[in-house]
Amino acid sequence: MSASLDDSMPPHLIATFTNALASDEPVQRGMHDVPHTHLVTQEQGGPQGEQLAAAHEARLKSVRAAARKARRLTALQTQQPAAAPSTRNTPVHHR
């Protein structure tokens, strides 16, 4: 892999890119999808398979519920008539 950076790139992107390259945090990759396997150690970490699918389903369920709630609130707000001016008959006093 190669990259080239020049003066036309925004400084914040260059800084982010170089910080990521210098980071010592582990890189998440697919199992056995590592170049030079003799130089690295792979460990399984975090949720896997069914756990990932269940977490994804839970997120979808939450987002769908929030969307339904927002649609209901919007529908209720558009159905409520605006406050009508008072139609009470106020007595008029003539002199």
Side-chain angles (χ1 to χ4, degrees):
M1 179 188 278
S2 65
S4 61
L5 309 175
D6 60 30
D7 293 340
S8 67
M9 288 186 68
H12 71 280
L13 292 181
I14 293 173
T16 301
F17 181 75
T18 54
N19 285 338
L21 285 177
S23 173
D24 62 352
E25 290 185 31
V27 177
Q28 186 169 354
R29 297 178 184 254
M31 203 62 166
H32 310 294
D33 185 23
V34 178
H36 313 293
T37 56
H38 63 286
L39 299 175
V40 298
T41 302
Q42 286 191 292
E43 298 175 0
Q44 220 175 32
Q48 301 292 313
E50 292 297 321
Q51 292 172 324
L52 286 174
H56 181 66
E57 283 296 322
R59 284 191 303 274
L60 287 175
K61 185 177 180 180
S62 173
V63 168
R64 288 175 180 144
R68 280 192 303 272
K69 182 178 180 181
R71 282 193 303 269
R72 278 194 305 269
L73 288 174
T74 301
L76 287 174
Q77 289 171 351
T78 58
Q79 289 176 0
Q80 292 177 351
S86 176
T87 56
R88 273 196 260 171
N89 292 333
T90 35
V92 178
H93 299 284
H94 297 283
R95 292 184 183 190

